[in-house]
PDB file of all heavy atoms in Angstrom:
ATOM      1  N   LEU A   1      19.652  -6.630  14.502  1.00  0.00           N
ATOM      2  CA  LEU A   1      19.074  -6.182  15.747  1.00  0.00           C
ATOM      3  C   LEU A   1      18.633  -7.331  16.689  1.00  0.00           C
ATOM      4  O   LEU A   1      18.795  -7.265  17.964  1.00  0.00           O
ATOM      5  CB  LEU A   1      17.851  -5.248  15.427  1.00  0.00           C
ATOM      6  CG  LEU A   1      17.090  -4.713  16.693  1.00  0.00           C
ATOM      7  CD1 LEU A   1      18.029  -3.731  17.438  1.00  0.00           C
ATOM      8  CD2 LEU A   1      15.945  -3.873  16.079  1.00  0.00           C
ATOM      9  N   PHE A   2      18.000  -8.317  16.155  1.00  0.00           N
ATOM     10  CA  PHE A   2      17.477  -9.452  16.972  1.00  0.00           C
ATOM     11  C   PHE A   2      18.692 -10.163  17.600  1.00  0.00           C
ATOM     12  O   PHE A   2      18.572 -10.537  18.921  1.00  0.00           O
ATOM     13  CB  PHE A   2      16.650 -10.376  16.164  1.00  0.00           C
ATOM     14  CG  PHE A   2      16.110 -11.608  16.920  1.00  0.00           C
ATOM     15  CD1 PHE A   2      15.077 -11.354  17.830  1.00  0.00           C
ATOM     16  CD2 PHE A   2      16.684 -12.929  16.720  1.00  0.00           C
ATOM     17  CE1 PHE A   2      14.589 -12.484  18.544  1.00  0.00           C
ATOM     18  CE2 PHE A   2      16.221 -13.971  17.410  1.00  0.00           C
ATOM     19  CZ  PHE A   2      15.190 -13.713  18.428  1.00  0.00           C
ATOM     20  N   ALA A   3      19.674 -10.450  16.811  1.00  0.00           N
ATOM     21  CA  ALA A   3      20.844 -11.185  17.411  1.00  0.00           C
ATOM     22  C   ALA A   3      21.491 -10.310  18.518  1.00  0.00           C
ATOM     23  O   ALA A   3      21.862 -10.949  19.474  1.00  0.00           O
ATOM     24  CB  ALA A   3      21.904 -11.370  16.185  1.00  0.00           C
ATOM     25  N   SER A   4      21.555  -9.019  18.382  1.00  0.00           N
ATOM     26  CA  SER A   4      22.123  -8.170  19.374  1.00  0.00           C
ATOM     27  C   SER A   4      21.315  -8.226  20.671  1.00  0.00           C
ATOM     28  O   SER A   4      21.801  -8.338  21.805  1.00  0.00           O
ATOM     29  CB  SER A   4      22.174  -6.775  18.863  1.00  0.00           C
ATOM     30  OG  SER A   4      22.577  -5.908  19.887  1.00  0.00           O
ATOM     31  N   VAL A   5      19.999  -8.172  20.523  1.00  0.00           N
ATOM     32  CA  VAL A   5      19.056  -8.262  21.654  1.00  0.00           C
ATOM     33  C   VAL A   5      19.230  -9.518  22.469  1.00  0.00           C
ATOM     34  O   VAL A   5      19.361  -9.582  23.705  1.00  0.00           O
ATOM     35  CB  VAL A   5      17.676  -8.006  21.253  1.00  0.00           C
ATOM     36  CG1 VAL A   5      16.727  -8.353  22.481  1.00  0.00           C
ATOM     37  CG2 VAL A   5      17.473  -6.539  20.744  1.00  0.00           C
ATOM     38  N   VAL A   6      19.257 -10.672  21.711  1.00  0.00           N
ATOM     39  CA  VAL A   6      19.455 -11.904  22.357  1.00  0.00           C
ATOM     40  C   VAL A   6      20.787 -12.048  23.129  1.00  0.00           C
ATOM     41  O   VAL A   6      20.913 -12.476  24.188  1.00  0.00           O
ATOM     42  CB  VAL A   6      19.405 -13.001  21.389  1.00  0.00           C
ATOM     43  CG1 VAL A   6      19.710 -14.408  21.877  1.00  0.00           C
ATOM     44  CG2 VAL A   6      17.859 -13.154  20.759  1.00  0.00           C
ATOM     45  N   GLU A   7      21.886 -11.556  22.339  1.00  0.00           N
ATOM     46  CA  GLU A   7      23.198 -11.531  23.092  1.00  0.00           C
ATOM     47  C   GLU A   7      23.221 -10.816  24.281  1.00  0.00           C
ATOM     48  O   GLU A   7      23.863 -11.089  25.340  1.00  0.00           O
ATOM     49  CB  GLU A   7      24.237 -11.105  22.000  1.00  0.00           C
ATOM     50  CG  GLU A   7      25.696 -11.178  22.535  1.00  0.00           C
ATOM     51  CD  GLU A   7      26.620 -10.617  21.554  1.00  0.00           C
ATOM     52  OE1 GLU A   7      26.230 -10.372  20.328  1.00  0.00           O
ATOM     53  OE2 GLU A   7      27.847 -10.476  21.828  1.00  0.00           O
ATOM     54  N   ARG A   8      22.617  -9.580  24.209  1.00  0.00           N
ATOM     55  CA  ARG A   8      22.628  -8.600  25.453  1.00  0.00           C
ATOM     56  C   ARG A   8      21.810  -9.048  26.596  1.00  0.00           C
ATOM     57  O   ARG A   8      22.197  -8.885  27.804  1.00  0.00           O
ATOM     58  CB  ARG A   8      22.242  -7.283  25.047  1.00  0.00           C
ATOM     59  CG  ARG A   8      23.282  -6.453  24.258  1.00  0.00           C
ATOM     60  CD  ARG A   8      22.804  -5.063  23.897  1.00  0.00           C
ATOM     61  NE  ARG A   8      21.846  -5.143  22.788  1.00  0.00           N
ATOM     62  CZ  ARG A   8      20.817  -4.233  22.744  1.00  0.00           C
ATOM     63  NH1 ARG A   8      20.617  -3.383  23.741  1.00  0.00           N
ATOM     64  NH2 ARG A   8      19.925  -4.309  21.794  1.00  0.00           N
ATOM     65  N   PHE A   9      20.647  -9.661  26.364  1.00  0.00           N
ATOM     66  CA  PHE A   9      19.675  -9.803  27.337  1.00  0.00           C
ATOM     67  C   PHE A   9      19.214 -11.186  27.644  1.00  0.00           C
ATOM     68  O   PHE A   9      18.348 -11.455  28.640  1.00  0.00           O
ATOM     69  CB  PHE A   9      18.423  -8.960  26.973  1.00  0.00           C
ATOM     70  CG  PHE A   9      18.581  -7.523  26.883  1.00  0.00           C
ATOM     71  CD1 PHE A   9      18.205  -6.952  25.680  1.00  0.00           C
ATOM     72  CD2 PHE A   9      19.227  -6.874  27.797  1.00  0.00           C
ATOM     73  CE1 PHE A   9      18.528  -5.480  25.536  1.00  0.00           C
ATOM     74  CE2 PHE A   9      19.492  -5.426  27.693  1.00  0.00           C
ATOM     75  CZ  PHE A   9      19.131  -4.853  26.474  1.00  0.00           C
ATOM     76  N   ALA A  10      19.682 -12.230  26.885  1.00  0.00           N
ATOM     77  CA  ALA A  10      19.094 -13.589  27.127  1.00  0.00           C
ATOM     78  C   ALA A  10      20.251 -14.494  27.644  1.00  0.00           C
ATOM     79  O   ALA A  10      20.214 -15.766  27.435  1.00  0.00           O
ATOM     80  CB  ALA A  10      18.684 -14.133  25.807  1.00  0.00           C
ATOM     81  N   ALA A  11      21.181 -14.033  28.417  1.00  0.00           N
ATOM     82  CA  ALA A  11      22.225 -14.858  28.973  1.00  0.00           C
ATOM     83  C   ALA A  11      21.512 -15.912  29.937  1.00  0.00           C
ATOM     84  O   ALA A  11      20.723 -15.532  30.833  1.00  0.00           O
ATOM     85  CB  ALA A  11      23.277 -14.058  29.729  1.00  0.00           C
ATOM     86  N   GLY A  12      21.786 -17.187  29.782  1.00  0.00           N
ATOM     87  CA  GLY A  12      21.272 -18.121  30.602  1.00  0.00           C
ATOM     88  C   GLY A  12      19.838 -18.514  30.364  1.00  0.00           C
ATOM     89  O   GLY A  12      19.174 -19.351  31.086  1.00  0.00           O
ATOM     90  N   VAL A  13      19.249 -17.944  29.194  1.00  0.00           N
ATOM     91  CA  VAL A  13      17.983 -18.291  28.796  1.00  0.00           C
ATOM     92  C   VAL A  13      17.972 -18.915  27.326  1.00  0.00           C
ATOM     93  O   VAL A  13      18.715 -18.345  26.522  1.00  0.00           O
ATOM     94  CB  VAL A  13      17.001 -17.007  28.827  1.00  0.00           C
ATOM     95  CG1 VAL A  13      15.707 -17.244  28.256  1.00  0.00           C
ATOM     96  CG2 VAL A  13      16.912 -16.569  30.277  1.00  0.00           C
ATOM     97  N   ARG A  14      17.165 -19.904  27.146  1.00  0.00           N
ATOM     98  CA  ARG A  14      17.083 -20.397  25.721  1.00  0.00           C
ATOM     99  C   ARG A  14      16.013 -19.720  25.073  1.00  0.00           C
ATOM    100  O   ARG A  14      14.754 -19.560  25.456  1.00  0.00           O
ATOM    101  CB  ARG A  14      16.755 -21.890  25.778  1.00  0.00           C
ATOM    102  CG  ARG A  14      16.771 -22.593  24.444  1.00  0.00           C
ATOM    103  CD  ARG A  14      17.086 -24.065  24.560  1.00  0.00           C
ATOM    104  NE  ARG A  14      16.079 -24.690  25.174  1.00  0.00           N
ATOM    105  CZ  ARG A  14      15.034 -25.428  24.452  1.00  0.00           C
ATOM    106  NH1 ARG A  14      14.952 -25.303  23.214  1.00  0.00           N
ATOM    107  NH2 ARG A  14      14.073 -26.032  25.243  1.00  0.00           N
ATOM    108  N   VAL A  15      16.246 -19.071  23.930  1.00  0.00           N
ATOM    109  CA  VAL A  15      15.369 -18.431  23.000  1.00  0.00           C
ATOM    110  C   VAL A  15      14.923 -19.254  21.890  1.00  0.00           C
ATOM    111  O   VAL A  15      15.872 -19.683  21.099  1.00  0.00           O
ATOM    112  CB  VAL A  15      15.908 -17.028  22.558  1.00  0.00           C
ATOM    113  CG1 VAL A  15      14.928 -16.312  21.659  1.00  0.00           C
ATOM    114  CG2 VAL A  15      16.303 -16.126  23.699  1.00  0.00           C
ATOM    115  N   VAL A  16      13.635 -19.492  21.717  1.00  0.00           N
ATOM    116  CA  VAL A  16      13.168 -20.386  20.575  1.00  0.00           C
ATOM    117  C   VAL A  16      12.487 -19.454  19.596  1.00  0.00           C
ATOM    118  O   VAL A  16      11.503 -18.691  19.951  1.00  0.00           O
ATOM    119  CB  VAL A  16      12.180 -21.435  21.141  1.00  0.00           C
ATOM    120  CG1 VAL A  16      11.809 -22.330  20.041  1.00  0.00           C
ATOM    121  CG2 VAL A  16      12.924 -22.195  22.225  1.00  0.00           C
ATOM    122  N   GLU A  17      12.881 -19.428  18.397  1.00  0.00           N
ATOM    123  CA  GLU A  17      12.251 -18.605  17.354  1.00  0.00           C
ATOM    124  C   GLU A  17      11.113 -19.365  16.629  1.00  0.00           C
ATOM    125  O   GLU A  17      11.269 -20.571  16.365  1.00  0.00           O
ATOM    126  CB  GLU A  17      13.318 -18.248  16.288  1.00  0.00           C
ATOM    127  CG  GLU A  17      14.535 -17.531  16.984  1.00  0.00           C
ATOM    128  CD  GLU A  17      15.734 -17.292  15.977  1.00  0.00           C
ATOM    129  OE1 GLU A  17      15.477 -17.597  14.778  1.00  0.00           O
ATOM    130  OE2 GLU A  17      16.765 -16.950  16.414  1.00  0.00           O
ATOM    131  N   GLN A  18      10.122 -18.614  16.276  1.00  0.00           N
ATOM    132  CA  GLN A  18       9.013 -19.254  15.549  1.00  0.00           C
ATOM    133  C   GLN A  18       8.348 -18.242  14.647  1.00  0.00           C
ATOM    134  O   GLN A  18       8.048 -17.126  15.089  1.00  0.00           O
ATOM    135  CB  GLN A  18       7.963 -19.842  16.562  1.00  0.00           C
ATOM    136  CG  GLN A  18       6.790 -20.595  15.935  1.00  0.00           C
ATOM    137  CD  GLN A  18       7.243 -21.785  15.145  1.00  0.00           C
ATOM    138  OE1 GLN A  18       8.047 -22.588  15.570  1.00  0.00           O
ATOM    139  NE2 GLN A  18       6.683 -21.950  13.945  1.00  0.00           N
ATOM    140  N   THR A  19       8.093 -18.553  13.364  1.00  0.00           N
ATOM    141  CA  THR A  19       7.304 -17.743  12.502  1.00  0.00           C
ATOM    142  C   THR A  19       5.873 -18.187  12.556  1.00  0.00           C
ATOM    143  O   THR A  19       5.504 -19.248  12.911  1.00  0.00           O
ATOM    144  CB  THR A  19       7.889 -17.710  11.117  1.00  0.00           C
ATOM    145  OG1 THR A  19       7.840 -19.157  10.615  1.00  0.00           O
ATOM    146  CG2 THR A  19       9.348 -17.274  11.079  1.00  0.00           C
ATOM    147  N   ALA A  20       4.998 -17.276  11.972  1.00  0.00           N
ATOM    148  CA  ALA A  20       3.582 -17.610  11.922  1.00  0.00           C
ATOM    149  C   ALA A  20       3.085 -17.164  10.500  1.00  0.00           C
ATOM    150  O   ALA A  20       2.310 -16.204  10.371  1.00  0.00           O
ATOM    151  CB  ALA A  20       2.709 -16.883  12.994  1.00  0.00           C
ATOM    152  N   PRO A  21       3.383 -18.015   9.470  1.00  0.00           N
ATOM    153  CA  PRO A  21       3.081 -17.701   8.156  1.00  0.00           C
ATOM    154  C   PRO A  21       1.532 -17.440   7.953  1.00  0.00           C
ATOM    155  O   PRO A  21       0.793 -18.236   8.377  1.00  0.00           O
ATOM    156  CB  PRO A  21       3.521 -18.816   7.375  1.00  0.00           C
ATOM    157  CG  PRO A  21       4.656 -19.594   8.134  1.00  0.00           C
ATOM    158  CD  PRO A  21       4.223 -19.262   9.596  1.00  0.00           C
ATOM    159  N   GLY A  22       1.195 -16.282   7.408  1.00  0.00           N
ATOM    160  CA  GLY A  22      -0.183 -16.023   7.121  1.00  0.00           C
ATOM    161  C   GLY A  22      -0.898 -15.259   8.130  1.00  0.00           C
ATOM    162  O   GLY A  22      -2.016 -14.764   7.893  1.00  0.00           O
ATOM    163  N   LEU A  23      -0.254 -15.033   9.315  1.00  0.00           N
ATOM    164  CA  LEU A  23      -0.965 -14.406  10.461  1.00  0.00           C
ATOM    165  C   LEU A  23      -1.159 -12.883  10.129  1.00  0.00           C
ATOM    166  O   LEU A  23      -2.217 -12.342  10.437  1.00  0.00           O
ATOM    167  CB  LEU A  23      -0.215 -14.605  11.728  1.00  0.00           C
ATOM    168  CG  LEU A  23      -0.976 -14.095  12.987  1.00  0.00           C
ATOM    169  CD1 LEU A  23      -2.359 -14.552  13.180  1.00  0.00           C
ATOM    170  CD2 LEU A  23      -0.174 -14.377  14.228  1.00  0.00           C
ATOM    171  N   VAL A  24      -0.081 -12.245   9.520  1.00  0.00           N
ATOM    172  CA  VAL A  24      -0.258 -10.874   9.275  1.00  0.00           C
ATOM    173  C   VAL A  24      -1.493 -10.580   8.343  1.00  0.00           C
ATOM    174  O   VAL A  24      -2.257  -9.679   8.501  1.00  0.00           O
ATOM    175  CB  VAL A  24       1.034 -10.311   8.698  1.00  0.00           C
ATOM    176  CG1 VAL A  24       0.810  -8.947   8.130  1.00  0.00           C
ATOM    177  CG2 VAL A  24       2.150 -10.215   9.753  1.00  0.00           C
ATOM    178  N   GLU A  25      -1.598 -11.490   7.286  1.00  0.00           N
ATOM    179  CA  GLU A  25      -2.588 -11.290   6.381  1.00  0.00           C
ATOM    180  C   GLU A  25      -3.997 -11.439   6.915  1.00  0.00           C
ATOM    181  O   GLU A  25      -4.968 -10.697   6.600  1.00  0.00           O
ATOM    182  CB  GLU A  25      -2.315 -12.302   5.145  1.00  0.00           C
ATOM    183  CG  GLU A  25      -1.179 -12.034   4.329  1.00  0.00           C
ATOM    184  CD  GLU A  25       0.095 -12.694   4.713  1.00  0.00           C
ATOM    185  OE1 GLU A  25       0.242 -12.954   5.990  1.00  0.00           O
ATOM    186  OE2 GLU A  25       1.000 -12.862   3.932  1.00  0.00           O
ATOM    187  N   GLN A  26      -4.115 -12.474   7.822  1.00  0.00           N
ATOM    188  CA  GLN A  26      -5.360 -12.610   8.448  1.00  0.00           C
ATOM    189  C   GLN A  26      -5.732 -11.392   9.362  1.00  0.00           C
ATOM    190  O   GLN A  26      -6.973 -10.950   9.299  1.00  0.00           O
ATOM    191  CB  GLN A  26      -5.370 -13.888   9.437  1.00  0.00           C
ATOM    192  CG  GLN A  26      -5.260 -15.174   8.705  1.00  0.00           C
ATOM    193  CD  GLN A  26      -6.442 -15.393   7.794  1.00  0.00           C
ATOM    194  OE1 GLN A  26      -6.344 -15.443   6.553  1.00  0.00           O
ATOM    195  NE2 GLN A  26      -7.577 -15.570   8.457  1.00  0.00           N
ATOM    196  N   ILE A  27      -4.762 -10.830  10.090  1.00  0.00           N
ATOM    197  CA  ILE A  27      -5.017  -9.653  10.930  1.00  0.00           C
ATOM    198  C   ILE A  27      -5.466  -8.469  10.100  1.00  0.00           C
ATOM    199  O   ILE A  27      -6.313  -7.627  10.326  1.00  0.00           O
ATOM    200  CB  ILE A  27      -3.834  -9.359  11.760  1.00  0.00           C
ATOM    201  CG1 ILE A  27      -3.633 -10.550  12.799  1.00  0.00           C
ATOM    202  CG2 ILE A  27      -3.938  -8.074  12.467  1.00  0.00           C
ATOM    203  CD1 ILE A  27      -2.341 -10.561  13.518  1.00  0.00           C
ATOM    204  N   GLU A  28      -4.663  -8.321   8.926  1.00  0.00           N
ATOM    205  CA  GLU A  28      -5.028  -7.275   8.030  1.00  0.00           C
ATOM    206  C   GLU A  28      -6.444  -7.262   7.561  1.00  0.00           C
ATOM    207  O   GLU A  28      -7.118  -6.312   7.340  1.00  0.00           O
ATOM    208  CB  GLU A  28      -4.086  -7.271   6.751  1.00  0.00           C
ATOM    209  CG  GLU A  28      -2.697  -6.712   6.945  1.00  0.00           C
ATOM    210  CD  GLU A  28      -2.651  -5.245   7.119  1.00  0.00           C
ATOM    211  OE1 GLU A  28      -3.294  -4.620   6.323  1.00  0.00           O
ATOM    212  OE2 GLU A  28      -1.875  -4.707   7.857  1.00  0.00           O
ATOM    213  N   ALA A  29      -6.953  -8.505   7.401  1.00  0.00           N
ATOM    214  CA  ALA A  29      -8.204  -8.737   6.897  1.00  0.00           C
ATOM    215  C   ALA A  29      -9.341  -8.599   7.980  1.00  0.00           C
ATOM    216  O   ALA A  29     -10.558  -8.656   7.770  1.00  0.00           O
ATOM    217  CB  ALA A  29      -8.366 -10.155   6.205  1.00  0.00           C
ATOM    218  N   GLY A  30      -8.803  -8.400   9.219  1.00  0.00           N
ATOM    219  CA  GLY A  30      -9.806  -8.214  10.358  1.00  0.00           C
ATOM    220  C   GLY A  30     -10.217  -9.432  11.036  1.00  0.00           C
ATOM    221  O   GLY A  30     -11.059  -9.436  11.847  1.00  0.00           O
ATOM    222  N   ASP A  31      -9.627 -10.575  10.592  1.00  0.00           N
ATOM    223  CA  ASP A  31     -10.068 -11.919  11.107  1.00  0.00           C
ATOM    224  C   ASP A  31      -9.027 -12.193  12.346  1.00  0.00           C
ATOM    225  O   ASP A  31      -7.981 -12.691  12.197  1.00  0.00           O
ATOM    226  CB  ASP A  31      -9.868 -13.050  10.120  1.00  0.00           C
ATOM    227  CG  ASP A  31     -10.332 -14.334  10.637  1.00  0.00           C
ATOM    228  OD1 ASP A  31     -10.648 -14.458  11.851  1.00  0.00           O
ATOM    229  OD2 ASP A  31     -10.366 -15.344   9.913  1.00  0.00           O
ATOM    230  N   LEU A  32      -9.565 -11.882  13.586  1.00  0.00           N
ATOM    231  CA  LEU A  32      -8.703 -12.025  14.786  1.00  0.00           C
ATOM    232  C   LEU A  32      -9.011 -13.268  15.516  1.00  0.00           C
ATOM    233  O   LEU A  32      -8.251 -13.598  16.483  1.00  0.00           O
ATOM    234  CB  LEU A  32      -8.948 -10.928  15.648  1.00  0.00           C
ATOM    235  CG  LEU A  32      -8.776  -9.500  15.043  1.00  0.00           C
ATOM    236  CD1 LEU A  32      -8.820  -8.418  16.012  1.00  0.00           C
ATOM    237  CD2 LEU A  32      -7.353  -9.388  14.354  1.00  0.00           C
ATOM    238  N   ASP A  33     -10.038 -14.093  15.163  1.00  0.00           N
ATOM    239  CA  ASP A  33     -10.360 -15.239  15.985  1.00  0.00           C
ATOM    240  C   ASP A  33     -11.115 -16.315  15.198  1.00  0.00           C
ATOM    241  O   ASP A  33     -11.698 -17.227  15.773  1.00  0.00           O
ATOM    242  CB  ASP A  33     -11.322 -14.665  17.156  1.00  0.00           C
ATOM    243  CG  ASP A  33     -11.555 -15.759  18.156  1.00  0.00           C
ATOM    244  OD1 ASP A  33     -10.553 -16.457  18.403  1.00  0.00           O
ATOM    245  OD2 ASP A  33     -12.714 -15.842  18.765  1.00  0.00           O
ATOM    246  N   GLY A  34     -11.041 -16.246  13.871  1.00  0.00           N
ATOM    247  CA  GLY A  34     -11.749 -17.280  13.017  1.00  0.00           C
ATOM    248  C   GLY A  34     -10.940 -18.533  12.908  1.00  0.00           C
ATOM    249  O   GLY A  34      -9.718 -18.668  13.501  1.00  0.00           O
ATOM    250  N   PRO A  35     -11.445 -19.592  12.302  1.00  0.00           N
ATOM    251  CA  PRO A  35     -10.772 -20.823  12.302  1.00  0.00           C
ATOM    252  C   PRO A  35      -9.474 -20.831  11.663  1.00  0.00           C
ATOM    253  O   PRO A  35      -8.509 -21.494  12.191  1.00  0.00           O
ATOM    254  CB  PRO A  35     -11.848 -21.739  11.555  1.00  0.00           C
ATOM    255  CG  PRO A  35     -13.005 -21.037  11.583  1.00  0.00           C
ATOM    256  CD  PRO A  35     -12.820 -19.556  11.723  1.00  0.00           C
ATOM    257  N   VAL A  36      -9.234 -20.138  10.510  1.00  0.00           N
ATOM    258  CA  VAL A  36      -7.981 -20.019   9.844  1.00  0.00           C
ATOM    259  C   VAL A  36      -7.021 -19.440  10.819  1.00  0.00           C
ATOM    260  O   VAL A  36      -5.914 -19.855  10.975  1.00  0.00           O
ATOM    261  CB  VAL A  36      -8.065 -19.241   8.576  1.00  0.00           C
ATOM    262  CG1 VAL A  36      -6.715 -19.072   7.940  1.00  0.00           C
ATOM    263  CG2 VAL A  36      -8.939 -20.016   7.528  1.00  0.00           C
ATOM    264  N   THR A  37      -7.342 -18.274  11.443  1.00  0.00           N
ATOM    265  CA  THR A  37      -6.438 -17.564  12.271  1.00  0.00           C
ATOM    266  C   THR A  37      -6.046 -18.428  13.463  1.00  0.00           C
ATOM    267  O   THR A  37      -4.930 -18.509  13.893  1.00  0.00           O
ATOM    268  CB  THR A  37      -7.065 -16.156  12.761  1.00  0.00           C
ATOM    269  OG1 THR A  37      -7.340 -15.385  11.580  1.00  0.00           O
ATOM    270  CG2 THR A  37      -6.074 -15.406  13.651  1.00  0.00           C
ATOM    271  N   ARG A  38      -7.096 -19.097  14.069  1.00  0.00           N
ATOM    272  CA  ARG A  38      -6.827 -19.987  15.319  1.00  0.00           C
ATOM    273  C   ARG A  38      -5.813 -21.034  14.800  1.00  0.00           C
ATOM    274  O   ARG A  38      -4.919 -21.421  15.597  1.00  0.00           O
ATOM    275  CB  ARG A  38      -8.108 -20.560  15.766  1.00  0.00           C
ATOM    276  CG  ARG A  38      -9.076 -19.494  16.326  1.00  0.00           C
ATOM    277  CD  ARG A  38     -10.336 -20.208  16.900  1.00  0.00           C
ATOM    278  NE  ARG A  38     -10.095 -20.921  18.095  1.00  0.00           N
ATOM    279  CZ  ARG A  38     -10.158 -20.413  19.288  1.00  0.00           C
ATOM    280  NH1 ARG A  38     -10.458 -19.132  19.403  1.00  0.00           N
ATOM    281  NH2 ARG A  38      -9.945 -21.168  20.408  1.00  0.00           N
ATOM    282  N   GLY A  39      -6.038 -21.615  13.601  1.00  0.00           N
ATOM    283  CA  GLY A  39      -5.053 -22.682  13.220  1.00  0.00           C
ATOM    284  C   GLY A  39      -3.688 -22.166  13.023  1.00  0.00           C
ATOM    285  O   GLY A  39      -2.698 -22.815  13.384  1.00  0.00           O
ATOM    286  N   ILE A  40      -3.490 -20.886  12.510  1.00  0.00           N
ATOM    287  CA  ILE A  40      -2.151 -20.456  12.306  1.00  0.00           C
ATOM    288  C   ILE A  40      -1.489 -20.172  13.705  1.00  0.00           C
ATOM    289  O   ILE A  40      -0.311 -20.590  13.878  1.00  0.00           O
ATOM    290  CB  ILE A  40      -2.198 -19.020  11.507  1.00  0.00           C
ATOM    291  CG1 ILE A  40      -2.628 -19.337  10.133  1.00  0.00           C
ATOM    292  CG2 ILE A  40      -0.880 -18.422  11.580  1.00  0.00           C
ATOM    293  CD1 ILE A  40      -2.941 -18.122   9.362  1.00  0.00           C
ATOM    294  N   VAL A  41      -2.306 -19.531  14.623  1.00  0.00           N
ATOM    295  CA  VAL A  41      -1.689 -19.318  15.934  1.00  0.00           C
ATOM    296  C   VAL A  41      -1.350 -20.596  16.699  1.00  0.00           C
ATOM    297  O   VAL A  41      -0.347 -20.760  17.315  1.00  0.00           O
ATOM    298  CB  VAL A  41      -2.592 -18.460  16.745  1.00  0.00           C
ATOM    299  CG1 VAL A  41      -2.168 -18.348  18.257  1.00  0.00           C
ATOM    300  CG2 VAL A  41      -2.805 -17.060  16.075  1.00  0.00           C
ATOM    301  N   ASP A  42      -2.318 -21.542  16.534  1.00  0.00           N
ATOM    302  CA  ASP A  42      -2.027 -22.901  17.247  1.00  0.00           C
ATOM    303  C   ASP A  42      -0.766 -23.501  16.762  1.00  0.00           C
ATOM    304  O   ASP A  42       0.047 -24.000  17.461  1.00  0.00           O
ATOM    305  CB  ASP A  42      -3.273 -23.721  17.050  1.00  0.00           C
ATOM    306  CG  ASP A  42      -3.100 -25.054  17.762  1.00  0.00           C
ATOM    307  OD1 ASP A  42      -3.043 -25.065  19.057  1.00  0.00           O
ATOM    308  OD2 ASP A  42      -3.112 -26.130  17.161  1.00  0.00           O
ATOM    309  N   ARG A  43      -0.596 -23.607  15.392  1.00  0.00           N
ATOM    310  CA  ARG A  43       0.666 -24.182  14.869  1.00  0.00           C
ATOM    311  C   ARG A  43       1.889 -23.451  15.237  1.00  0.00           C
ATOM    312  O   ARG A  43       2.990 -24.061  15.424  1.00  0.00           O
ATOM    313  CB  ARG A  43       0.439 -24.271  13.323  1.00  0.00           C
ATOM    314  CG  ARG A  43      -0.600 -25.339  12.831  1.00  0.00           C
ATOM    315  CD  ARG A  43      -0.488 -25.535  11.307  1.00  0.00           C
ATOM    316  NE  ARG A  43      -0.864 -24.286  10.558  1.00  0.00           N
ATOM    317  CZ  ARG A  43      -2.154 -23.980  10.298  1.00  0.00           C
ATOM    318  NH1 ARG A  43      -3.089 -24.858  10.621  1.00  0.00           N
ATOM    319  NH2 ARG A  43      -2.424 -22.924   9.582  1.00  0.00           N
ATOM    320  N   ALA A  44       1.706 -22.049  15.415  1.00  0.00           N
ATOM    321  CA  ALA A  44       2.943 -21.351  15.743  1.00  0.00           C
ATOM    322  C   ALA A  44       3.280 -21.561  17.248  1.00  0.00           C
ATOM    323  O   ALA A  44       4.489 -21.664  17.585  1.00  0.00           O
ATOM    324  CB  ALA A  44       2.719 -19.886  15.461  1.00  0.00           C
ATOM    325  N   LEU A  45       2.329 -21.682  18.100  1.00  0.00           N
ATOM    326  CA  LEU A  45       2.563 -21.801  19.551  1.00  0.00           C
ATOM    327  C   LEU A  45       3.047 -23.261  19.876  1.00  0.00           C
ATOM    328  O   LEU A  45       3.825 -23.401  20.939  1.00  0.00           O
ATOM    329  CB  LEU A  45       1.254 -21.506  20.280  1.00  0.00           C
ATOM    330  CG  LEU A  45       0.891 -19.937  20.360  1.00  0.00           C
ATOM    331  CD1 LEU A  45      -0.439 -19.860  21.089  1.00  0.00           C
ATOM    332  CD2 LEU A  45       1.924 -19.090  21.069  1.00  0.00           C
ATOM    333  N   ARG A  46       2.551 -24.164  19.326  1.00  0.00           N
ATOM    334  CA  ARG A  46       2.676 -25.559  19.689  1.00  0.00           C
ATOM    335  C   ARG A  46       4.189 -25.893  19.953  1.00  0.00           C
ATOM    336  O   ARG A  46       4.584 -26.461  20.988  1.00  0.00           O
ATOM    337  CB  ARG A  46       2.114 -26.535  18.804  1.00  0.00           C
ATOM    338  CG  ARG A  46       1.929 -27.963  19.313  1.00  0.00           C
ATOM    339  CD  ARG A  46       1.052 -28.861  18.377  1.00  0.00           C
ATOM    340  NE  ARG A  46      -0.229 -28.197  18.098  1.00  0.00           N
ATOM    341  CZ  ARG A  46      -0.836 -28.343  16.888  1.00  0.00           C
ATOM    342  NH1 ARG A  46      -0.188 -29.032  15.897  1.00  0.00           N
ATOM    343  NH2 ARG A  46      -2.033 -27.830  16.726  1.00  0.00           N
ATOM    344  N   PRO A  47       5.113 -25.629  18.997  1.00  0.00           N
ATOM    345  CA  PRO A  47       6.437 -25.984  19.141  1.00  0.00           C
ATOM    346  C   PRO A  47       7.117 -25.123  20.256  1.00  0.00           C
ATOM    347  O   PRO A  47       8.055 -25.689  21.023  1.00  0.00           O
ATOM    348  CB  PRO A  47       7.193 -25.687  17.798  1.00  0.00           C
ATOM    349  CG  PRO A  47       6.204 -24.878  17.035  1.00  0.00           C
ATOM    350  CD  PRO A  47       4.874 -25.142  17.554  1.00  0.00           C
TER     351      PRO A  47
END
């Protein structure tokens, strides 16, 4: 599905993929803005 979406809609655009290990678990725990969550999001966004 993801490959199909990129092929159909991202012509002329570079798509950069990034995972955020541990973020789902932090959100499940209700931690939306704590130091651990901020660190995960920061590391995912930086590249």
